[in-house]
Amino acid sequence: MEVVVHKTYEEMSRAAAHLVADVLNTKPNAVLGMATGSTPLGLYQVLVRMHREEGLDFSQVTTFNLDEYVGLGPKHEQSYHHFMHDNFFKHVNIAPSNIYIPSGTTSNYRAFCEWYEQRIKQCGGIDVQILGIGSDGHIAFNEPGSSLSSRTRLKTLARSTIEDNSRFFKHADEVPIYAITMGVGTILEARTLVLLGCGANKASAVAAMIEGPVTAMITASALQLHPSSMVFLDETAASNLKMRDYYDWVLKMKPGAPQV
Ligand code: PGA
């Protein structure tokens, strides 16, 4: 796992966007795994700017989103369909038919989840999966206790997640209780994982993910099992890391490291 701490949120977002742009410049038909929440907003803004000013091309890109609230239709202001359209998709030249987001209103969740998993495989698998981290250590909506080999499924949200996300809704009791989410096992199959973490409220979850044991109680700790995972943090989210000096040292020594 590569841990990169940036001074600011803006710097972290730029670094993550450059990584995504490098992938698209090498593989124009890459499959991207998308995340919602406040954390990746800066990354999406930089990608949109790169599209407008530098011609970063999304015409052959396919995307799969991690999750969606159950019960919210695509037009609902707090649905992740709406979030993605508003903050990213409508600003770039992606083909609408290449956008996949779990349905929050399907009449058959089990069948939909199976189909979603199949579609990821049929599209060649996810090249780069963007991730955030919850204050309870979740990735996507894989709350504490989720199996580390879980697949796309219906999930009951933790009370802490409902509280965290209530800031987006008028009243806390409007936050859906269920979500449809890619599983930890689904996420681990992506070729590269890029997790972004910012803010002091993430510091303890971030430390547990990187320096604690692999445990279903912190589903983000499953990144330790992945051969190609990167964690981009701002200073506040990195503030509980014990091995911080080492991560900075590794980064500093990187350009001159001997090639194997
Ligand atoms: P946030 O959510 O980016 O809004 O903090 C992250 C998450 O819960 O995965």
Side-chain angles (χ1 to χ4, degrees), residues 36-40 67 80 131-136 138-141 161 164-165 167-168 196 198 201-202:
T36 51
S38 5
T39 311
D67 44 20
Y80 289 162
L131 296 163
I133 181 170
S135 61
D136 64 357
H138 70 207
I139 42 173
F141 275 132
T161 300
D164 284 350
N165 292 0
R167 68 189 193 278
F168 299 114
L196 308 179
C198 65
N201 64 324
K202 303 292 174 66

